[in-house]
Every structure is written in C-alpha cells, then in structure tokens.
Amino acid sequence: MSHTLGVRQAQKQKTRQALLDAALGLLEEQSLSSLGLREVTRVVGVAPTAFYRHFRDMGELGVALVEEALGSLHAMVRAILAEQAGAEERIDRTVEVVERHVREHPAHIRFVARERHGGVRAVRQAIAGELDRFAEEVAAALKTQPVSDGWRDDDVWMLAELYVDRLVTTAAALLDAEDGEPGEAERVVRVARRQLRLISIGRRHWMAAGGE
Amino acid sequence: MSHTLGVRQAQKQKTRQALLDAALGLLEEQSLSSLGLREVTRVVGVAPTAFYRHFRDMGELGVALVEEALGSLHAMVRAILAEQAGAEERIDRTVEVVERHVREHPAHIRFVARERHGGVRAVRQAIAGELDRFAEEVAAALKTQPVSDGWRDDDVWMLAELYVDRLVTTAAALLDAEDGEPGEAERVVRVARRQLRLISIGRRHWMAAGGE
DNA sequence: CACTTCAGAGGACAGTTGTTCACTGACACT
DNA sequence: AGTGTCAGTGAACAACTGTCCTCTGAAGTG
C-alpha cells in the first residue's frame, strides 16, 4: 500500500491551504495587521473557530505565507547564478525570471513587498531572514566568478545585498506598473536592466578604482 | 498689527496637529489600514466625531502625514546635490544626512517605509509622487555634472531612481538596525557608502563601456 | 451689543471583532 | 467492533468599530 497520509490529515491540509489562499486574496487590498480572522474564515466557508486548528493568530498565518512566497524561489535563483553566461545575458535572464514570477504570482509578491516593513514583527523577521538567505546564495555565486578576485568578503556581501534589493524593488515596481498605464511595465524592465548593467560596470572597475 | 490667524483657526490647527502626532505614534506598531479613528481621538483626548472636522477618513490623514514626512526634505536634498565637492565627499555627506534624519524623525521614516507599499491606495500614490519629485531633483542635479556629458536623458533618470531608491532602502535598514544589536547601524552606514561608491564608479565608466 | 459660525461633545446606532466553551461526527487505531 | 482523537460547529460573550444626529459654547463679525 502506498503511504496515503490518511484522509484525516489530507482534509486538514486542504482547509489550511484554503485559509492561506483566502487570506492572500484579501491581502491584495489591505495589510496583514488589518486582516480579520473572521474575514478569512468567511471566505473559505468555515466556522471562525476552525481557524485556531491551523494557526495561533494572523501573524502565524503570515509567516506561513512568507515561506510559500519566497521558499520556492531559491532553486530558481541558484540556477540563474550558476549559468556560465556573459554578464549581459545573465542580466537579461535574471530580469526575465523576475518579470515572469511577478506575472505568475502577483499576490505573493505584493504580500512580501507590503509586509516587508509592515506592522507585524514576526512576519517582518521571516521576510528579512528569507532575503538574507537569498543574499547569502548570491554572495556565494558572485565569489566564484573571476571578477571578484581580490575582493574583500564583506564587499562581496555588500554587492549581493545591492543585487537582491534591486530585484525586490524591481518586482514591486512591476506590480505598481501593472495597474497603471500600459507600457509602464516595459519601461520598468528596461530601467532595471540598465541599472543592473551600471552596477555590473562598477563591479568590473571596483578593484582598479581602489575599492579600499 | 501682525496678521494673527485668529484664536479659532489656531486652536483648530493645534488639534489637527495633535491628531497627526497621535496617529504617527500609534503607527509605530501597526499599519495605517488597521488604525482606527477612535484609537487616535482617544489618545488626543477629543471626541471621536471631532476627527471629521479635520479629515474625511484615515486615508486623508495618511496623505497629510506623507507631506509632513517628505515635504521638508526637498530643500535638504537640493543643498547636498548643489555642493561642488568630490564624489567621495558628496557620498559621505549624503549618507550623513540620511543617518541624521532617521535618528531625528524615526517615526516619520518608518511610516513612509511601511506605507510605501501599504494597504491604502491614496497614501501609496502620495508617497510615489513625492519620491518622483525627489528623483526629478536628483536627475536635474546629476545632469549638470560633467560626468554626465553625452548621457541620454532617460539614463540620467534611471541613475536618479537608483540613487533615490538606495537612500530610501538605507533609511529603512537603519530603522531595523536601531532595535537590533548595537553596531548594526554602523554596518548599514558602511555598506551604504560602499554601494554608493560602486554606483559612482559604474557611472564614471558608463560611457566608455558603451552605455548605448 | 446681538447674531452667526463652527470645533468639539455626547449619546445612540447597527455591525463587527477575537475568544470561550461544550458539542458532534467521521476517521484512526487496536 | 469498540474506543479515543480531533477538525470543524454554533452559540454566546464583551469589547470595539465608523457614522449619524443633536446640542453647546466660545470666537468671529457687524
């Protein structure tokens, strides 16, 4: 027999997921600290008290959403960075991935952008932690590239932070662009590419310019 | 006789300011969309209905807070950019100003960081508009510098956006650092300086690298 | 002085919130 | 087959929300 996890647990996870989905939907037009427990359960079609079977409070649900939004991204990022392409192509590929991700999971991205500095401490910390993990991965990848020869470790890290932050900002800008004039999204993408290019140029001349 | 605004209007503005201050205080630990009108009036010590004499709703109060937080900054930014100092000193001066501003008006900065992507449309737009004005001023200043000779207008703008965004991010990072381990703030400042330096290097080599 | 204006008070309204408690009934385990 | 577990129910709770209405009294106006 295949280990079927039990009808019991399966149903539970189903409701749990329904709660997460409902919350994510409602969060498109408000922030977590104003989202009510009853509001969520009402959408799912379940009694308010059922919420407690899955999360202690809204903060806990928020943290779960953070994992859902950012957890799956690591593999993707690592794949891009591992590519042995030229700087220019890598930039294009990176921006493309961000663009696609925003288009496919807009609500998740919006949630992260909104709650990154939002009103719920636990969620803020979860996001910060996840972004730190990204920066770590980026830093590790940057370090293996020849351009980084002679760089101090903390300078590699500062560059990694710069990259990660730029991608997050670009993603957020793309969201804002979506419900604006058409063509605005393309402009954002074009600007993002050039900004990354400028950073890349600065990187190439960092040592020669006496980075310290 | 000096044109005394009238005791009436003076008192009104006083309560209005009290409402703004109280709201700003409460917003340190929650976001605007969860802030209640009664909550604010309670702190000030006035009847809930008095709120309506000053703002239609919380969104309107939020917009007023945006102006309070960002409006006064323009002169300061313009002053720094007008300085005819070397790139290195200008970076130091800029970071210093950001640092000081965060230390002197932490609540305002936190508010902007939080509501920049927050749940209230009107406030988001107000912040975006104000940041756009900043970018415009920065772009205008950059353009007068010799390093920008031959640059396309939209590339100057893309650089301006990069700078402004970096400053906003740095300010937010400084806030997070404040209620963390001591010494973290210094690290953030150091990183910010080096990131700006890297961007500055990229800028110097932009044309030679065939910025297009 | 009488007369208007209007910031703020205070009561009342219907709705909503999070949390508690005892409960049911289908699944899981022996 | 018998028994315990536990996801979800439904009623009740005190506390709170935004908004409406009428009222007051001090400041402004001539």
Side-chain angles (χ1 to χ4, degrees), chain A residues 29 31 33-34 114 117-119 124 152 155 158 161-162 165-166 169 172 191 194-195 198-199 201-202 205-206 209 211-212, chain B residues 29 31 33-34 114 117-119 124 152 155 158 161-162 165-166 169 172 191 194-195 198-199 201-202 205-206 209 211-212:
Chain A
E29 295 187 353
S31 40
S33 70
S34 74
R114 187 160 288 172
H117 303 285
R124 261 180 290 153
R152 289 172 30 176
D155 278 342
M158 102 46 201
E161 272 189 296
L162 186 54
D165 202 83
R166 190 98 306 272
T169 304
V191 168
R194 300 194 144 234
Q195 288 175 336
L198 188 139
I199 292 173
I201 295 174
H205 293 84
W206 178 257
E212 167 88 351
Chain B
E29 294 185 355
S31 39
S33 70
S34 75
R114 187 160 288 172
H117 304 285
R124 261 179 289 153
R152 290 173 27 175
D155 278 343
M158 124 2 228
E161 272 190 295
L162 185 53
D165 202 83
R166 188 97 307 271
T169 305
V191 169
R194 301 195 142 234
Q195 289 175 335
L198 188 138
I199 292 173
I201 295 174
H205 293 84
W206 177 257
E212 173 91 347

CSV table of all heavy atoms in Angstrom, one decimal, chain A residues 29 31 33-34 114 117-119 124 152 155 158 161-162 165-166 169 172 191 194-195 198-199 201-202 205-206 209 211-212, chain B residues 29 31 33-34 114 117-119 124 152 155 158 161-162 165-166 169 172 191 194-195 198-199 201-202 205-206 209 211-212:
chain,number,residue,atom,x,y,z
A,29,GLU,N,-5.8,44.0,-1.1
A,29,GLU,CA,-6.3,45.3,-0.9
A,29,GLU,C,-6.3,45.8,0.6
A,29,GLU,O,-7.0,46.8,0.9
A,29,GLU,CB,-7.7,45.4,-1.4
A,29,GLU,CG,-7.7,45.2,-2.9
A,29,GLU,CD,-9.1,45.4,-3.5
A,29,GLU,OE1,-10.1,45.6,-2.8
A,29,GLU,OE2,-9.2,45.4,-4.8
A,31,SER,N,-3.6,45.4,4.5
A,31,SER,CA,-2.4,44.8,5.0
A,31,SER,C,-2.7,43.8,6.1
A,31,SER,O,-3.8,43.9,6.7
A,31,SER,CB,-1.4,45.9,5.4
A,31,SER,OG,-2.0,46.9,6.1
A,33,SER,N,-2.0,43.4,9.2
A,33,SER,CA,-2.4,43.8,10.6
A,33,SER,C,-3.9,44.3,10.6
A,33,SER,O,-4.4,44.4,11.7
A,33,SER,CB,-1.5,44.9,11.1
A,33,SER,OG,-1.8,46.1,10.4
A,34,SER,N,-4.5,44.4,9.5
A,34,SER,CA,-5.9,44.8,9.5
A,34,SER,C,-6.8,43.7,9.0
A,34,SER,O,-8.0,43.8,8.9
A,34,SER,CB,-6.2,46.0,8.6
A,34,SER,OG,-6.1,45.7,7.2
A,114,ARG,N,4.6,44.4,0.7
A,114,ARG,CA,3.8,45.1,1.6
A,114,ARG,C,4.2,44.8,3.1
A,114,ARG,O,4.3,45.8,3.9
A,114,ARG,CB,2.3,44.8,1.4
A,114,ARG,CG,1.3,45.6,2.2
A,114,ARG,CD,0.0,45.5,1.6
A,114,ARG,NE,-0.2,46.2,0.4
A,114,ARG,CZ,-1.2,46.2,-0.4
A,114,ARG,NH1,-2.2,45.5,-0.1
A,114,ARG,NH2,-1.3,47.0,-1.5
A,117,HIS,N,8.0,45.7,5.5
A,117,HIS,CA,8.2,46.8,6.5
A,117,HIS,C,6.8,46.9,7.2
A,117,HIS,O,6.6,48.0,7.8
A,117,HIS,CB,8.6,48.1,5.9
A,117,HIS,CG,9.9,48.0,5.2
A,117,HIS,ND1,11.1,47.9,5.8
A,117,HIS,CD2,10.2,48.0,3.8
A,117,HIS,CE1,12.1,47.8,4.9
A,117,HIS,NE2,11.5,47.9,3.7
A,118,GLY,N,6.0,45.9,7.1
A,118,GLY,CA,4.6,46.0,7.7
A,118,GLY,C,4.5,46.0,9.2
A,118,GLY,O,5.5,46.1,9.9
A,119,GLY,N,3.3,45.9,9.7
A,119,GLY,CA,3.1,46.1,11.1
A,119,GLY,C,3.2,44.9,11.9
A,119,GLY,O,2.9,45.0,13.1
A,124,ARG,N,7.7,40.4,9.5
A,124,ARG,CA,8.9,41.2,9.1
A,124,ARG,C,10.2,40.4,9.2
A,124,ARG,O,11.0,40.3,8.3
A,124,ARG,CB,9.0,42.5,9.9
A,124,ARG,CG,8.5,43.7,9.2
A,124,ARG,CD,8.6,44.9,10.2
A,124,ARG,NE,7.8,44.8,11.3
A,124,ARG,CZ,8.0,45.3,12.5
A,124,ARG,NH1,9.1,46.0,12.7
A,124,ARG,NH2,7.2,45.2,13.5
A,152,ARG,N,37.3,41.9,-0.9
A,152,ARG,CA,37.1,41.5,0.5
A,152,ARG,C,35.7,40.9,0.6
A,152,ARG,O,34.8,41.2,-0.1
A,152,ARG,CB,37.1,42.8,1.3
A,152,ARG,CG,38.4,43.4,1.5
A,152,ARG,CD,38.3,44.8,2.1
A,152,ARG,NE,37.2,44.9,3.1
A,152,ARG,CZ,37.0,46.0,3.8
A,152,ARG,NH1,37.8,47.0,3.7
A,152,ARG,NH2,36.0,46.0,4.6
A,155,ASP,N,32.7,43.1,1.0
A,155,ASP,CA,32.4,43.8,-0.2
A,155,ASP,C,31.6,43.0,-1.1
A,155,ASP,O,30.6,43.4,-1.8
A,155,ASP,CB,33.6,44.3,-0.9
A,155,ASP,CG,34.1,45.6,-0.2
A,155,ASP,OD1,33.4,46.3,0.5
A,155,ASP,OD2,35.3,46.0,-0.5
A,158,MET,N,28.2,43.1,0.3
A,158,MET,CA,27.5,44.4,0.1
A,158,MET,C,27.0,44.4,-1.4
A,158,MET,O,25.9,44.9,-1.6
A,158,MET,CB,28.5,45.6,0.4
A,158,MET,CG,29.3,46.4,-0.5
A,158,MET,SD,28.7,47.1,-2.0
A,158,MET,CE,30.3,47.3,-2.8
A,161,GLU,N,23.9,42.2,-1.5
A,161,GLU,CA,22.7,43.0,-0.9
A,161,GLU,C,22.2,43.9,-1.9
A,161,GLU,O,21.0,44.1,-2.1
A,161,GLU,CB,23.1,43.7,0.3
A,161,GLU,CG,23.0,42.9,1.6
A,161,GLU,CD,23.2,43.8,2.9
A,161,GLU,OE1,24.4,44.3,3.0
A,161,GLU,OE2,22.3,44.0,3.6
A,162,LEU,N,23.1,44.6,-2.6
A,162,LEU,CA,22.7,45.6,-3.7
A,162,LEU,C,21.8,44.9,-4.8
A,162,LEU,O,20.8,45.4,-5.2
A,162,LEU,CB,23.9,46.2,-4.3
A,162,LEU,CG,23.7,47.4,-5.3
A,162,LEU,CD1,22.8,48.4,-4.7
A,162,LEU,CD2,25.1,47.9,-5.7
A,165,ASP,N,18.4,43.6,-3.3
A,165,ASP,CA,17.5,44.7,-3.1
A,165,ASP,C,16.9,45.2,-4.4
A,165,ASP,O,15.8,45.6,-4.5
A,165,ASP,CB,18.2,45.7,-2.3
A,165,ASP,CG,17.2,46.6,-1.6
A,165,ASP,OD1,16.8,46.2,-0.5
A,165,ASP,OD2,16.8,47.7,-2.2
A,166,ARG,N,17.8,45.3,-5.4
A,166,ARG,CA,17.4,45.8,-6.7
A,166,ARG,C,16.3,44.9,-7.3
A,166,ARG,O,15.3,45.4,-7.9
A,166,ARG,CB,18.6,45.9,-7.6
A,166,ARG,CG,18.3,46.6,-8.9
A,166,ARG,CD,18.8,48.1,-8.9
A,166,ARG,NE,18.3,48.8,-7.8
A,166,ARG,CZ,17.1,49.5,-7.8
A,166,ARG,NH1,16.4,49.5,-8.9
A,166,ARG,NH2,16.7,50.2,-6.8
A,169,THR,N,13.0,45.5,-5.4
A,169,THR,CA,12.4,46.8,-5.8
A,169,THR,C,11.8,46.7,-7.2
A,169,THR,O,10.7,47.2,-7.4
A,169,THR,CB,13.5,47.9,-5.8
A,169,THR,OG1,14.1,47.9,-4.5
A,169,THR,CG2,12.9,49.2,-6.1
A,172,ALA,N,8.5,44.9,-7.1
A,172,ALA,CA,7.5,45.8,-6.5
A,172,ALA,C,7.0,46.9,-7.6
A,172,ALA,O,5.9,47.1,-7.7
A,172,ALA,CB,8.0,46.5,-5.3
A,191,VAL,N,14.6,49.9,-17.5
A,191,VAL,CA,15.3,50.6,-16.4
A,191,VAL,C,16.1,49.6,-15.6
A,191,VAL,O,17.3,49.8,-15.3
A,191,VAL,CB,14.4,51.5,-15.6
A,191,VAL,CG1,15.2,52.0,-14.4
A,191,VAL,CG2,13.9,52.7,-16.4
A,194,ARG,N,19.2,48.3,-17.2
A,194,ARG,CA,20.3,49.3,-17.3
A,194,ARG,C,20.9,49.5,-15.9
A,194,ARG,O,22.1,49.7,-15.8
A,194,ARG,CB,19.8,50.6,-17.9
A,194,ARG,CG,19.2,50.4,-19.3
A,194,ARG,CD,19.0,51.7,-20.0
A,194,ARG,NE,19.3,51.4,-21.4
A,194,ARG,CZ,20.2,52.2,-22.1
A,194,ARG,NH1,20.8,53.2,-21.5
A,194,ARG,NH2,20.5,51.9,-23.3
A,195,GLN,N,20.1,49.5,-14.9
A,195,GLN,CA,20.6,49.7,-13.5
A,195,GLN,C,21.6,48.5,-13.2
A,195,GLN,O,22.7,48.7,-12.7
A,195,GLN,CB,19.5,49.8,-12.5
A,195,GLN,CG,18.8,51.1,-12.7
A,195,GLN,CD,17.6,51.2,-11.7
A,195,GLN,OE1,17.0,50.2,-11.3
A,195,GLN,NE2,17.1,52.4,-11.4
A,198,LEU,N,24.8,49.0,-15.0
A,198,LEU,CA,25.6,50.0,-14.4
A,198,LEU,C,26.3,49.5,-13.2
A,198,LEU,O,27.5,49.7,-13.0
A,198,LEU,CB,24.8,51.2,-14.0
A,198,LEU,CG,25.6,52.4,-13.5
A,198,LEU,CD1,25.0,53.7,-14.1
A,198,LEU,CD2,25.7,52.5,-12.0
A,199,ILE,N,25.6,48.7,-12.4
A,199,ILE,CA,26.2,48.1,-11.2
A,199,ILE,C,27.3,47.1,-11.7
A,199,ILE,O,28.4,47.0,-11.1
A,199,ILE,CB,25.1,47.3,-10.4
A,199,ILE,CG1,24.2,48.3,-9.8
A,199,ILE,CG2,25.8,46.5,-9.3
A,199,ILE,CD1,23.0,47.7,-9.1
A,201,ILE,N,29.1,47.3,-14.3
A,201,ILE,CA,30.3,48.1,-14.8
A,201,ILE,C,31.1,48.5,-13.6
A,201,ILE,O,32.3,48.4,-13.5
A,201,ILE,CB,29.8,49.3,-15.6
A,201,ILE,CG1,29.2,48.8,-16.9
A,201,ILE,CG2,31.0,50.2,-15.9
A,201,ILE,CD1,28.6,49.9,-17.7
A,202,GLY,N,30.3,49.0,-12.6
A,202,GLY,CA,31.0,49.5,-11.4
A,202,GLY,C,31.8,48.3,-10.7
A,202,GLY,O,32.9,48.5,-10.2
A,205,HIS,N,35.2,47.6,-12.4
A,205,HIS,CA,36.2,48.6,-12.2
A,205,HIS,C,36.5,48.9,-10.7
A,205,HIS,O,37.2,49.8,-10.3
A,205,HIS,CB,35.8,50.0,-12.8
A,205,HIS,CG,35.8,49.9,-14.3
A,205,HIS,ND1,34.7,49.4,-15.0
A,205,HIS,CD2,36.7,50.1,-15.3
A,205,HIS,CE1,35.0,49.4,-16.3
A,205,HIS,NE2,36.2,49.9,-16.5
A,206,TRP,N,35.8,48.1,-9.8
A,206,TRP,CA,35.9,48.3,-8.4
A,206,TRP,C,37.4,48.2,-7.9
A,206,TRP,O,37.8,49.1,-7.2
A,206,TRP,CB,35.1,47.3,-7.7
A,206,TRP,CG,35.1,47.3,-6.2
A,206,TRP,CD1,35.8,46.5,-5.3
A,206,TRP,CD2,34.4,48.3,-5.3
A,206,TRP,NE1,35.6,46.8,-4.0
A,206,TRP,CE2,34.7,47.9,-4.0
A,206,TRP,CE3,33.6,49.3,-5.6
A,206,TRP,CZ2,34.2,48.6,-2.9
A,206,TRP,CZ3,33.1,50.0,-4.5
A,206,TRP,CH2,33.4,49.7,-3.2
A,209,ALA,N,39.6,50.9,-9.2
A,209,ALA,CA,39.3,52.2,-8.6
A,209,ALA,C,39.7,52.3,-7.1
A,209,ALA,O,39.4,53.3,-6.4
A,209,ALA,CB,37.8,52.5,-8.8
A,211,GLY,N,38.9,49.9,-4.4
A,211,GLY,CA,37.7,49.6,-3.6
A,211,GLY,C,38.0,49.7,-2.1
A,211,GLY,O,37.1,49.7,-1.3
A,212,GLU,N,39.1,49.9,-1.8
A,212,GLU,CA,39.6,50.2,-0.4
A,212,GLU,C,41.1,50.6,-0.5
A,212,GLU,O,41.8,49.8,-1.1
A,212,GLU,CB,39.4,49.0,0.5
A,212,GLU,CG,40.2,49.2,1.9
A,212,GLU,CD,39.3,49.8,2.9
A,212,GLU,OE1,38.2,50.3,2.6
A,212,GLU,OE2,39.7,49.9,4.0
B,29,GLU,N,3.6,50.8,15.6
B,29,GLU,CA,3.5,49.3,15.8
B,29,GLU,C,2.3,48.7,15.1
B,29,GLU,O,1.8,47.6,15.4
B,29,GLU,CB,3.3,49.1,17.3
B,29,GLU,CG,4.6,49.4,18.0
B,29,GLU,CD,4.6,49.0,19.5
B,29,GLU,OE1,3.5,48.6,20.0
B,29,GLU,OE2,5.6,49.1,20.2
B,31,SER,N,-0.1,49.2,11.0
B,31,SER,CA,-0.1,49.9,9.7
B,31,SER,C,-1.4,50.7,9.6
B,31,SER,O,-2.4,50.4,10.2
B,31,SER,CB,0.1,49.0,8.5
B,31,SER,OG,-0.5,47.8,8.7
B,33,SER,N,-3.9,50.9,7.6
B,33,SER,CA,-5.2,50.3,7.3
B,33,SER,C,-5.8,49.7,8.5
B,33,SER,O,-7.0,49.3,8.5
B,33,SER,CB,-5.1,49.3,6.1
B,33,SER,OG,-4.4,48.2,6.5
B,34,SER,N,-5.0,49.5,9.6
B,34,SER,CA,-5.6,48.9,10.8
B,34,SER,C,-5.8,49.9,11.9
B,34,SER,O,-6.2,49.6,13.0
B,34,SER,CB,-4.7,47.7,11.2
B,34,SER,OG,-3.6,48.2,11.9
B,114,ARG,N,6.7,51.9,5.6
B,114,ARG,CA,5.7,50.9,5.8
B,114,ARG,C,4.5,51.1,4.8
B,114,ARG,O,4.0,50.2,4.2
B,114,ARG,CB,5.1,51.1,7.2
B,114,ARG,CG,4.1,50.1,7.6
B,114,ARG,CD,4.0,49.9,9.1
B,114,ARG,NE,5.2,49.3,9.7
B,114,ARG,CZ,5.4,49.2,11.0
B,114,ARG,NH1,4.6,49.8,11.9
B,114,ARG,NH2,6.5,48.6,11.5
B,117,HIS,N,4.3,50.6,0.2
B,117,HIS,CA,3.6,49.6,-0.5
B,117,HIS,C,2.4,49.1,0.4
B,117,HIS,O,1.9,48.0,0.2
B,117,HIS,CB,4.5,48.4,-0.7
B,117,HIS,CG,5.8,48.8,-1.5
B,117,HIS,ND1,5.7,49.0,-2.9
B,117,HIS,CD2,7.0,49.0,-1.1
B,117,HIS,CE1,7.0,49.3,-3.3
B,117,HIS,NE2,7.8,49.3,-2.2
B,118,GLY,N,1.9,50.0,1.2
B,118,GLY,CA,0.9,49.6,2.2
B,118,GLY,C,-0.5,49.4,1.6
B,118,GLY,O,-0.7,49.4,0.4
B,119,GLY,N,-1.5,49.3,2.4
B,119,GLY,CA,-2.8,48.9,2.0
B,119,GLY,C,-3.7,50.1,1.6
B,119,GLY,O,-4.9,49.8,1.3
B,124,ARG,N,-0.3,55.4,-0.8
B,124,ARG,CA,0.8,54.9,-1.7
B,124,ARG,C,1.1,55.9,-2.8
B,124,ARG,O,2.2,56.2,-3.2
B,124,ARG,CB,0.3,53.6,-2.4
B,124,ARG,CG,0.8,52.4,-1.7
B,124,ARG,CD,0.3,51.1,-2.4
B,124,ARG,NE,-1.1,50.9,-2.2
B,124,ARG,CZ,-2.0,50.3,-3.0
B,124,ARG,NH1,-1.6,49.8,-4.1
B,124,ARG,NH2,-3.3,50.2,-2.6
B,152,ARG,N,22.2,59.9,-22.2
B,152,ARG,CA,20.8,60.0,-22.7
B,152,ARG,C,20.0,60.5,-21.5
B,152,ARG,O,20.3,60.1,-20.3
B,152,ARG,CB,20.3,58.7,-23.2
B,152,ARG,CG,20.9,58.3,-24.5
B,152,ARG,CD,20.4,56.9,-24.9
B,152,ARG,NE,19.2,56.5,-24.3
B,152,ARG,CZ,18.6,55.4,-24.6
B,152,ARG,NH1,19.1,54.5,-25.4
B,152,ARG,NH2,17.4,55.0,-24.1
B,155,ASP,N,18.7,57.8,-19.3
B,155,ASP,CA,19.7,57.1,-18.5
B,155,ASP,C,20.0,57.9,-17.2
B,155,ASP,O,20.3,57.3,-16.2
B,155,ASP,CB,21.0,56.9,-19.3
B,155,ASP,CG,20.8,55.6,-20.2
B,155,ASP,OD1,20.0,54.8,-19.9
B,155,ASP,OD2,21.6,55.5,-21.1
B,158,MET,N,17.3,57.0,-15.0
B,158,MET,CA,17.5,55.7,-14.4
B,158,MET,C,18.5,55.7,-13.3
B,158,MET,O,18.3,55.1,-12.2
B,158,MET,CB,17.8,54.8,-15.5
B,158,MET,CG,18.9,53.8,-15.7
B,158,MET,SD,20.3,53.4,-14.7
B,158,MET,CE,21.6,53.6,-15.9
B,161,GLU,N,16.8,57.4,-10.2
B,161,GLU,CA,15.9,56.4,-9.5
B,161,GLU,C,16.8,55.5,-8.6
B,161,GLU,O,16.4,55.1,-7.5
B,161,GLU,CB,15.1,55.6,-10.5
B,161,GLU,CG,13.8,56.3,-11.0
B,161,GLU,CD,13.0,55.3,-11.8
B,161,GLU,OE1,13.4,55.0,-12.9
B,161,GLU,OE2,11.9,54.9,-11.3
B,162,LEU,N,17.9,55.1,-9.2
B,162,LEU,CA,18.8,54.1,-8.5
B,162,LEU,C,19.3,54.8,-7.2
B,162,LEU,O,19.3,54.1,-6.1
B,162,LEU,CB,20.0,53.7,-9.3
B,162,LEU,CG,20.9,52.7,-8.8
B,162,LEU,CD1,20.2,51.4,-8.4
B,162,LEU,CD2,22.0,52.4,-9.9
B,165,ASP,N,16.3,55.4,-4.6
B,165,ASP,CA,15.8,54.1,-4.0
B,165,ASP,C,16.8,53.6,-3.0
B,165,ASP,O,16.5,53.0,-2.0
B,165,ASP,CB,15.6,53.1,-5.1
B,165,ASP,CG,14.7,52.0,-4.7
B,165,ASP,OD1,13.5,52.2,-4.8
B,165,ASP,OD2,15.2,51.0,-4.2
B,166,ARG,N,18.1,53.8,-3.3
B,166,ARG,CA,19.1,53.3,-2.4
B,166,ARG,C,19.0,54.0,-1.1
B,166,ARG,O,19.2,53.5,0.0
B,166,ARG,CB,20.5,53.5,-3.1
B,166,ARG,CG,21.6,52.9,-2.3
B,166,ARG,CD,22.1,51.6,-2.9
B,166,ARG,NE,21.0,50.6,-3.0
B,166,ARG,CZ,20.6,49.8,-2.1
B,166,ARG,NH1,21.2,49.8,-0.9
B,166,ARG,NH2,19.7,48.9,-2.3
B,169,THR,N,16.0,52.8,0.9
B,169,THR,CA,16.3,51.4,1.4
B,169,THR,C,17.3,51.6,2.6
B,169,THR,O,17.1,50.9,3.7
B,169,THR,CB,16.9,50.5,0.4
B,169,THR,OG1,16.1,50.5,-0.8
B,169,THR,CG2,17.2,49.2,0.9
B,172,ALA,N,15.4,52.7,5.7
B,172,ALA,CA,14.6,51.6,6.3
B,172,ALA,C,15.5,50.7,7.0
B,172,ALA,O,15.2,50.2,8.1
B,172,ALA,CB,13.8,50.9,5.2
B,191,VAL,N,28.0,49.9,4.6
B,191,VAL,CA,27.6,49.2,3.4
B,191,VAL,C,27.0,50.2,2.4
B,191,VAL,O,27.3,50.2,1.2
B,191,VAL,CB,26.6,48.1,3.7
B,191,VAL,CG1,25.9,47.6,2.5
B,191,VAL,CG2,27.3,47.0,4.5
B,194,ARG,N,29.6,52.2,0.6
B,194,ARG,CA,30.3,51.5,-0.4
B,194,ARG,C,29.4,51.2,-1.7
B,194,ARG,O,29.9,51.1,-2.8
B,194,ARG,CB,30.8,50.2,0.2
B,194,ARG,CG,31.8,50.4,1.3
B,194,ARG,CD,32.5,49.2,1.7
B,194,ARG,NE,33.9,49.6,2.1
B,194,ARG,CZ,35.0,49.1,1.5
B,194,ARG,NH1,34.9,48.2,0.6
B,194,ARG,NH2,36.2,49.5,1.9
B,195,GLN,N,28.1,51.0,-1.4
B,195,GLN,CA,27.2,50.7,-2.5
B,195,GLN,C,27.2,52.0,-3.4
B,195,GLN,O,27.2,51.9,-4.6
B,195,GLN,CB,25.9,50.3,-2.0
B,195,GLN,CG,25.9,48.9,-1.4
B,195,GLN,CD,24.5,48.5,-0.8
B,195,GLN,OE1,23.8,49.4,-0.4
B,195,GLN,NE2,24.3,47.3,-0.7
B,198,LEU,N,30.3,52.2,-5.4
B,198,LEU,CA,30.3,51.3,-6.5
B,198,LEU,C,29.4,51.9,-7.7
B,198,LEU,O,29.8,51.8,-8.9
B,198,LEU,CB,29.8,49.9,-6.1
B,198,LEU,CG,29.9,48.8,-7.2
B,198,LEU,CD1,30.4,47.5,-6.6
B,198,LEU,CD2,28.6,48.6,-7.9
B,199,ILE,N,28.3,52.4,-7.3
B,199,ILE,CA,27.4,53.0,-8.3
B,199,ILE,C,28.1,54.2,-9.0
B,199,ILE,O,28.1,54.3,-10.2
B,199,ILE,CB,26.1,53.5,-7.7
B,199,ILE,CG1,25.3,52.3,-7.3
B,199,ILE,CG2,25.3,54.3,-8.7
B,199,ILE,CD1,24.0,52.6,-6.5
B,201,ILE,N,31.3,54.6,-9.4
B,201,ILE,CA,32.3,54.0,-10.3
B,201,ILE,C,31.7,53.6,-11.6
B,201,ILE,O,32.2,53.9,-12.7
B,201,ILE,CB,33.1,52.8,-9.6
B,201,ILE,CG1,33.9,53.3,-8.4
B,201,ILE,CG2,34.0,52.2,-10.6
B,201,ILE,CD1,34.5,52.2,-7.6
B,202,GLY,N,30.6,52.9,-11.5
B,202,GLY,CA,29.9,52.4,-12.7
B,202,GLY,C,29.5,53.6,-13.5
B,202,GLY,O,29.6,53.6,-14.8
B,205,HIS,N,32.3,55.0,-15.7
B,205,HIS,CA,32.8,54.2,-16.8
B,205,HIS,C,31.6,53.8,-17.7
B,205,HIS,O,31.8,53.0,-18.6
B,205,HIS,CB,33.4,52.9,-16.3
B,205,HIS,CG,34.7,53.1,-15.6
B,205,HIS,ND1,34.8,53.5,-14.2
B,205,HIS,CD2,36.0,53.1,-16.0
B,205,HIS,CE1,36.0,53.6,-13.9
B,205,HIS,NE2,36.8,53.4,-14.9
B,206,TRP,N,30.4,54.4,-17.5
B,206,TRP,CA,29.3,54.1,-18.2
B,206,TRP,C,29.4,54.4,-19.7
B,206,TRP,O,29.2,53.5,-20.6
B,206,TRP,CB,28.1,54.9,-17.7
B,206,TRP,CG,26.8,54.7,-18.4
B,206,TRP,CD1,26.2,55.5,-19.3
B,206,TRP,CD2,25.9,53.6,-18.3
B,206,TRP,NE1,25.0,55.1,-19.8
B,206,TRP,CE2,24.8,53.8,-19.2
B,206,TRP,CE3,25.9,52.4,-17.6
B,206,TRP,CZ2,23.7,52.9,-19.3
B,206,TRP,CZ3,24.8,51.5,-17.8
B,206,TRP,CH2,23.8,51.8,-18.6
B,209,ALA,N,32.0,52.2,-21.4
B,209,ALA,CA,31.6,50.8,-21.6
B,209,ALA,C,30.5,50.6,-22.6
B,209,ALA,O,29.9,49.6,-22.8
B,209,ALA,CB,31.1,50.3,-20.2
B,211,GLY,N,27.4,52.6,-22.8
B,211,GLY,CA,26.1,52.6,-22.2
B,211,GLY,C,24.9,52.5,-23.2
B,211,GLY,O,23.8,52.5,-22.8
B,212,GLU,N,25.2,52.6,-24.4
B,212,GLU,CA,24.3,52.5,-25.5
B,212,GLU,C,24.5,53.8,-26.3
B,212,GLU,O,24.5,54.9,-25.8
B,212,GLU,CB,22.8,52.5,-25.1
B,212,GLU,CG,21.9,52.6,-26.3
B,212,GLU,CD,21.4,51.3,-26.8
B,212,GLU,OE1,22.1,50.3,-26.5
B,212,GLU,OE2,20.5,51.3,-27.6
